Amino acid sequence: IRQPAAVKMEGYQRDPLAAVAEEDQKEKLSLLWLLRVSAVNCSGHGIPKLFGESHSRKVVWRVIVLVCTALLVYQVVDLFVHVFAYPTTLSNSEVALNTMAFPSVT
């Protein structure tokens, strides 16, 4: 845990927790900036469009990605439920034969 240091600003002392909060905000902004730059420069189809310049296109692409992700999660969960339910189907039938043909061996 970081110990907040007192910051003096032109004649009055500022709250040390506010200084730490501002530093954390700058770190978050830099992380968001890094993620955005990485996404825009990504070679994956459609990923740069999530952070494009047109607001309407961003919304449409984000909705498409969310719907596809939801479908993927649904299918994976359904697959695991089906696999771990251990469904078994047994079918037995008996056929009685009076004579049996044996092959001739020479």
Side-chain angles (χ1 to χ4, degrees), residues 4 14 26 41 51 81:
R14 199 165 154 208
K26 288 178 185 176
N41 294 325
F51 298 94
V81 166

Side-chain angles (χ1 to χ4, degrees), residues 5-16 18 22:
V7 179
K8 292 185 179 181
M9 290 183 60
E10 298 178 8
Y12 67 92
Q13 184 143 351
R14 199 165 154 208
D15 182 22
E22 282 183 11

Side-chain angles (χ1 to χ4, degrees), residues 15-70:
D15 182 22
L17 293 178
V20 171
E22 282 183 11
E23 289 177 18
D24 288 343
Q25 187 67 20
K26 288 178 185 176
E27 288 176 13
K28 287 179 186 176
L29 288 177
S30 65
L31 179 63
L32 290 175
W33 178 81
L34 181 64
L35 288 175
R36 183 172 198 187
V37 168
S38 298
V40 169
N41 294 325
C42 181
S43 63
H45 302 290
I47 293 176
K49 294 179 182 178
L50 291 172
F51 298 94
E53 300 194 9
S54 172
H55 180 68
S56 59
R57 284 187 179 199
K58 283 193 291 189
V59 170
V60 169
W61 273 99
R62 287 177 184 177
V63 167
I64 289 171
V65 168
L66 285 175
V67 168
C68 290
T69 303

Side-chain angles (χ1 to χ4, degrees), residues 75-88:
Q75 289 181 352
V76 168
V77 168
D78 188 43
L79 175 73
F80 277 108
V81 166
H82 181 71
V83 167
F84 289 114
Y86 301 110
T88 55

Side-chain angles (χ1 to χ4, degrees), residues 95-104:
V95 177
L97 297 175
N98 292 337
T99 60
M100 200 175 214
F102 286 102
S104 60

